[in-house]
Amino acid sequence: MSELLKAAEAAAILVARRIDGTQGERLPETCRPQDLEQALAIQAAVTEHWCEQMDDSIGGWKCLLPPENKLVVGPIYTRTIDSVPPVSLWPKPGQANIARIEPELAFFFGQDLPARAEPYTAAEVDAAIARTHMALELINGRYTDPTQCEFPEMLADGLVNQGLFIGPQVDSASAAAASSFTITFKCANGEVIERQGQHPNIHPRAPLYWLAEFLRSRGQGIVAGQAVITGSYAGVIEVPMNTDIQLDYAGLGSMQVSFTARTAV
């Protein structure tokens, strides 16, 4: 089987699970990615298949400075980006009253950074950023037991992303320097969750510079209007569904949010 056919077979499985909000076994060995390039080929095929089926586009990206022998990058689809609560998402598998989220900052681009011969400088990337918002990555994967999967399988599936919630705009200069801050969730049911947030790469814009170069080197680019998240400040947080939540990023901003269970894309 050709690499294109393998990627298409894997993508068909993963897209079907995305649409239905379901999990399943590891990809069949006939189309399971063995390395990062095969994983990226499947990720691209997922994007093509999803966008064709759902009449959708890439509305953003998730990224992180790549750990050794890994790549942390994946598209976020426009139909899965929301900014008005309640936010509809697939709940934690087996626990319909739990939403899984990651607190992030989202950098919105006001200018294209298209593919070109020469690399982009950090100053050029900074100049293309129009604004910064509080954000929550919405977490859900397509594998029943992700602990049994190798990293390329997770990368092929978009690294457990199911969407993105965009909160209020924050001061761009403060956000660019926000390596750490206290994060507090106050739920209407009385539950309080507090974390000392720490950006995994310290500099929250550092992954943006990497992403611009990564996409450029592959003949792609960042498009004006896209939002990029660059790493969770506190890992995955589990919060209750169907209750109002006040979320505070100390020194940056606050927002109100709530979550309901999705029944269809």
Side-chain angles (χ1 to χ4, degrees):
M1 186 186 301
S2 73
E3 292 301 316
L4 282 176
L5 287 176
K6 289 180 183 178
E9 179 184 347
I13 294 168
L14 294 175
V15 169
R17 293 177 187 176
R18 275 183 179 266
I19 291 172
D20 295 337
T22 57
Q23 289 76 37
E25 298 300 314
R26 298 174 68 182
L27 293 170
E29 290 189 17
T30 53
C31 63
R32 187 180 300 167
Q34 302 301 311
D35 56 36
L36 299 181
E37 281 301 324
Q38 290 180 1
L40 290 173
I42 293 171
Q43 194 182 94
V46 166
T47 295
E48 182 179 2
H49 198 63
W50 169 274
C51 290
E52 184 177 282
Q53 273 200 243
M54 307 302 295
D55 188 25
D56 205 359
S57 60
I58 295 176
W61 295 89
K62 64 178 292 182
C63 64
L64 198 65
L65 291 182
E68 186 177 0
N69 299 320
K70 293 182 179 179
L71 286 173
V72 179
V73 63
I76 302 173
Y77 304 116
T78 304
R79 286 175 62 102
T80 70
I81 299 175
D82 201 354
S83 60
V84 180
V87 182
S88 178
L89 49 63
W90 299 114
K92 181 179 181 179
Q95 292 185 253
N97 62 333
I98 297 294
R100 293 186 297 166
I101 56 178
E102 290 189 349
E104 307 248 4
L105 290 172
F107 299 91
F108 276 84
F109 281 77
Q111 302 173 32
D112 293 344
L113 293 178
R116 69 181 192 186
E118 66 274 15
Y120 284 100
T121 65
E124 287 177 304
V125 176
D126 285 339
I129 298 170
R131 62 189 193 278
T132 308
H133 287 248
M134 297 176 69
L136 298 170
E137 184 179 7
L138 313 179
I139 303 300
N140 191 54
R142 271 56 64 178
Y143 302 114
T144 303
D145 187 0
T147 64
Q148 297 300 310
C149 297
E150 299 293 337
F151 183 79
E153 296 168 74
M154 302 302 292
L155 178 61
D157 184 42
L159 298 169
V160 300
N161 177 271
Q162 68 160 313
L164 184 64
F165 175 72
I166 303 296
Q169 186 173 346
V170 297
D171 180 74
S172 289
S174 298
S179 60
S180 64
F181 48 82
T182 301
I183 299 168
T184 306
F185 296 82
K186 294 180 180 177
C187 307
N189 65 4
E191 183 178 359
V192 177
I193 302 168
E194 185 172 292
R195 297 285 189 274
Q196 183 54 46
Q198 175 70 54
H199 192 277
N201 295 141
I202 301 177
H203 187 338
R205 286 192 178 186
L208 294 179
Y209 310 144
W210 174 85
L211 178 67
E213 175 58 17
F214 175 78
L215 294 176
R216 184 203 66 81
S217 70
R218 300 179 71 85
Q220 299 173 265
I222 297 172
V223 177
Q226 289 181 340
V228 180
I229 54 174
T230 65
S232 173
Y233 277 84
V236 177
I237 306 289
E238 296 187 350
V239 296
M241 304 276 274
N242 304 307
T243 190
D244 292 332
I245 300 170
Q246 178 176 313
L247 173 57
D248 294 299
Y249 289 3
L252 277 181
S254 62
M255 64 181 176
Q256 299 285 333
V257 69
S258 59
F259 302 96
T260 59
R262 181 183 292 281
T263 55
V265 173

